[in-house]
Amino acid sequence: MPSAPTDPHPAGSIRPESGWTGPSAQRRIVLRGGLSGVIAALFAPMSGCAVSAGEAVSGTASGVRPSAVAASADPQLGFRPVAATDFDGITLPEGYVAQIAFPWGDPVGIAGAMPAWKEDASNTAAEQTTQFGMHHDGMHYFPIDSSNTHGLLAINHEYTDEGLLHADGMKTWSAEKTAKSMAAVGVSVIEVVQRDGQWEAVRPSRYARRVTARTPTVLAGPAAGHALMRTAADPIGQQVLGTFANCAHGVTPWGTYLTCEENWALYFRAPAKSDPHQARWGLRRGGPDIRWYLDDERFDAARHPNEFNRFGWVVEIDPFDPTMTPIKRTALGRAARECARTVQTREGRVAVYMGEDARFEYLYKFVSRDRVRPGGLAANRDLLDHGTLYVARFNDDGSGDWLPLVWGRGPLTTERGFADQGEVLIKARQASDALGGTKMDRPEWITVDPRTGEVYCSLSNNTRRGAKGQPAVDAANPRANNTMGQIIRWKEADDFDSLSFRWNHFVLAGDPGNERAEAKGSVRGDAFGSPDGLYFDSRGTLWIQTDAAASSLGKGDYARLGNNMLLAADVRTGEIRRFLVGPRHCEITGVVCTSDLRTMFVNIQHPGETPSEISDPDNPSRYSTWPSGRDGARPRSATVIVRRRDGGVIGL
Ligand code: FEO
Ligand code: CA
Ligand code: CA
């Protein structure tokens, strides 16, 4: 078992802080002016939509049970929602229990290398390469022999808090600290088993693995070997050390894990003056204090400009083969990549839906040339290397188009700065600019309704929307100073490889009780903002995870929303209920259920994060002591394993 204590927090353990008050009066959403017209137009085209414009909608700002939500004859949601709270723990509905497991620093179970986590953060870099990384994010459960109680978990570790990672934080710096930081990101693969209702990591396990920022990987697809990918250390442009900034994820039909590189650009030191390509990808001086470049010169873009092009990819890992070299799939395009949701067409091709979480960036789809074949990775080794990448255009009339990023077509020519398909993929943002894709409000996770085939994407927020010198609102991104975010959905014209679709919003996130009209949203049920993780379970319940920044929580538009949370939605009625609230200053990230829906794994990322994202090593528990609860303890990202006391289906 992990060293972190089991720490169930059923609903009865909610302890609202003094001064924590929430209005109980239900409020009607008032959608003013043009916005309501936009929403009305959007919901008209698609049949079976759950919400319509101008309806009286009841909501709650503090978890008061909604009463005006349409009842369903076939209820999807059977739990009593929890209140918003700033309690520093896990809050769940009555009848549910949480087990806390797999925290940062515990050994993943590599034979002969299982060092215990040291509370003073004195574990070495070498030890960290065998321990869970920090800041758990996207995650998937791979059953062994179809078991609901025995399988592998692949867990992304998105970034680090250097103030917690090292005993004295960033007061000094060294090559050892760089090595430890690079070892604390990437991916963990562990073997897990449930015994008597409790899950544990199998240790040692032949599957246990850490992939870090120094693990050898290979490039595949049209950009592999490209001139823009060649470096002094890799003159053939096909081998890269490591993956990092691993945010959300995907799973292939042949059973491999896809991990996505999101905020990798922050790790590179910019030259004194960035060129236009570097500037378009956010390489500029004055970013966060990440010091890898001091000890690993490939992160100094002035010295090694092409290393910057070798990140931002979807990376394929076979969780069942710890010796497999991870593969960066360049045909899927380069991005601040958030997720890679796969689905198969009727003909057996794979479509991959991908978000790019950055303000005013794009939403993508890749469709493979070839069909999926039985036989795992060996039979599909090149499947993600051949196909067509598209960027989405959301038209104001509720229609949408997939615009191909194919060299030689339209503006993607040598004259316009694209020498070949490899350059189109490396410069996917510039290609999408040229094609006229829709600049979105931070597309995060994408998931597919198993009953209807409708595709849902969370758009986290975009406070610069409509600001001076920035793109204005549009139909798909309808709110200026969008603090709350939205969930957009679409139905392909025919199959997942269609070139057009119809779209609308499932919900504009918000707090109906908010004074600011643009922050009220269209939520039917429990208020929330900043949707990030999005996951349909096999029963068709939509699970929504939130990521309001630590600097926003408890203030402004978020004054009454408490800590970040996990909600469940019945997309047929539009009802949304708050299911889980996380500890202070965390973000709720990965979520996945076993196929029997009796176990849900939920990742808690960066409990206690400071506004600067770097904790004070002399006061590491300023905002949270989760999960230990001990004064002065370092907070630790971890996995929460949710079960029903009666062993029933989660959410029902
Ligand atoms: Fe890593 Fe966009 O969340
Ligand atoms: Ca995310
Ligand atoms: Ca996030």
Side-chain angles (χ1 to χ4, degrees), residues 7-251:
D7 187 9
H9 286 294
S13 65
I14 296 171
R15 289 177 294 148
E17 294 299 295
S18 62
W20 178 265
T21 56
S24 58
Q26 296 193 345
R27 305 286 295 264
R28 290 167 68 92
I29 292 179
V30 180
L31 298 169
R32 290 179 186 153
L35 183 57
S36 63
V38 168
I39 295 169
L42 296 184
F43 278 99
M46 207 157 85
S47 62
C49 296
V51 186
S52 53
E55 271 187 336
V57 178
S58 296
T60 65
S62 60
V64 178
R65 180 75 173 84
S67 61
V69 171
S72 169
D74 174 23
Q76 188 87 25
L77 309 177
F79 63 91
R80 187 175 172 82
V82 300
T85 174
D86 67 353
F87 172 58
D88 190 28
I90 303 296
T91 303
L92 281 167
E94 204 169 324
Y96 285 82
V97 290
Q99 177 194 347
I100 297 168
F102 322 134
W104 157 56
D106 270 18
V108 294
I110 298 169
M114 295 192 285
W117 182 68
K118 294 178 179 170
E119 291 206 30
D120 63 358
S122 64
N123 286 109
T124 64
E127 289 172 334
Q128 180 63 71
T129 63
T130 66
Q131 298 169 319
F132 287 97
M134 280 190 145
H135 289 25
H136 301 32
D137 206 292
M139 165 172 57
H140 191 70
Y141 173 80
F142 295 87
I144 292 176
D145 296 331
S146 304
S147 176
N148 289 302
T149 57
H150 184 206
L152 305 183
L153 270 185
I155 301 174
N156 286 348
H157 301 290
E158 187 179 10
Y159 60 103
T160 56
D161 180 336
E162 305 290 339
L164 298 178
L165 185 63
H166 315 291
D168 69 346
M170 302 184 79
K171 291 176 183 173
T172 61
W173 198 255
S174 65
E176 167 74 5
K177 286 188 173 179
T178 293
K180 188 175 182 184
S181 180
M182 294 176 74
V185 294
V187 179
S188 293
V189 178
I190 58 170
E191 182 179 356
V192 293
V193 65
Q194 187 212 107
R195 297 190 179 101
D196 300 325
Q198 293 286 297
W199 286 84
E200 60 187 85
V202 175
R203 290 187 289 213
S205 165
R206 67 189 175 97
Y207 300 109
R209 181 179 197 183
R210 282 301 323 284
V211 174
T212 74
R214 286 185 172 168
T215 301
T217 75
V218 294
L219 290 157
H226 195 279
L228 291 168
M229 300 290 243
R230 297 175 197 157
T231 65
D234 174 28
I236 62 170
Q238 295 183 16
Q239 296 173 320
V240 183
L241 275 185
T243 181
F244 59 89
N246 306 88
C247 193
H249 69 293
V251 186

Side-chain angles (χ1 to χ4, degrees), residues 244-416:
F244 59 89
N246 306 88
C247 193
H249 69 293
V251 186
T252 64
W254 49 95
T256 56
Y257 185 67
L258 301 175
T259 185
C260 302
E261 299 174 339
E262 187 192 5
N263 290 317
W264 47 271
L266 304 175
Y267 290 76
F268 288 84
R269 177 171 167 77
K273 186 170 182 352
S274 296
D275 67 28
H277 170 57
Q278 292 169 328
R280 181 66 185 85
W281 288 84
L283 183 62
R284 57 182 69 89
R285 289 276 174 98
D289 191 7
I290 296 173
R291 301 180 183 174
W292 291 5
Y293 71 91
L294 291 173
D295 303 297
D296 191 338
E297 64 179 56
R298 65 192 170 115
F299 294 103
D300 184 344
R303 301 177 69 178
H304 301 283
N306 283 355
E307 189 72 7
F308 186 69
N309 293 329
R310 290 144 60 93
F311 295 89
W313 303 103
V314 175
V315 186
E316 185 172 9
I317 297 172
D318 184 349
F320 289 94
D321 179 5
T323 69
M324 180 254 188
T325 302
I327 304 168
K328 299 198 176 197
R329 298 294 186 187
T330 67
L332 276 59
R334 180 163 164 262
R337 183 62 75 218
E338 173 78 20
C339 78
R341 176 63 163 86
T342 68
V343 63
Q344 280 184 259
T345 68
R346 289 191 293 271
E347 286 190 330
R349 292 185 173 81
V350 64
V352 188
Y353 291 103
M354 296 172 283
E356 172 161 29
D357 179 12
R359 297 185 186 99
F360 305 115
E361 296 301 344
Y362 301 102
L363 203 156
Y364 293 91
K365 175 172 78 169
F366 170 85
V367 179
S368 69
R369 181 191 68 188
D370 302 323
R371 298 174 188 180
V372 176
R373 293 189 296 201
L377 177 61
N380 297 283
R381 194 160 183 94
D382 301 327
L383 198 112
L384 294 177
D385 295 337
H386 304 285
T388 305
L389 180 67
Y390 303 89
V391 63
R393 183 176 65 202
F394 291 82
N395 303 315
D396 287 357
D397 64 358
S399 67
D401 300 292
W402 293 108
L403 312 174
L405 278 74
V406 175
W407 182 78
R409 288 178 61 174
L412 306 183
T413 60
T414 305
E415 298 72 44
R416 296 283 294 267

Side-chain angles (χ1 to χ4, degrees), residues 137 158-159 247 262-263 338 357 442 444-445 460 532-533 546-547 587-589 605-606:
D137 206 292
E158 187 179 10
Y159 60 103
C247 193
E262 187 192 5
N263 290 317
E338 173 78 20
D357 179 12
R442 299 181 53 195
E444 301 239 32
W445 286 41
S460 201
D532 187 341
T546 71
D547 176 20
E587 127 184 24
I588 311 293
T589 51
Q605 187 187 98
H606 64 64

Side-chain angles (χ1 to χ4, degrees), residues 416-441:
R416 296 283 294 267
F418 303 97
D420 50 31
Q421 182 63 19
E423 188 157 5
V424 167
L425 296 166
I426 293 166
K427 298 181 176 177
R429 285 185 178 174
Q430 293 97 315
S432 297
D433 293 344
L435 288 167
T438 300
K439 293 180 175 294
M440 307 296 287
D441 287 345

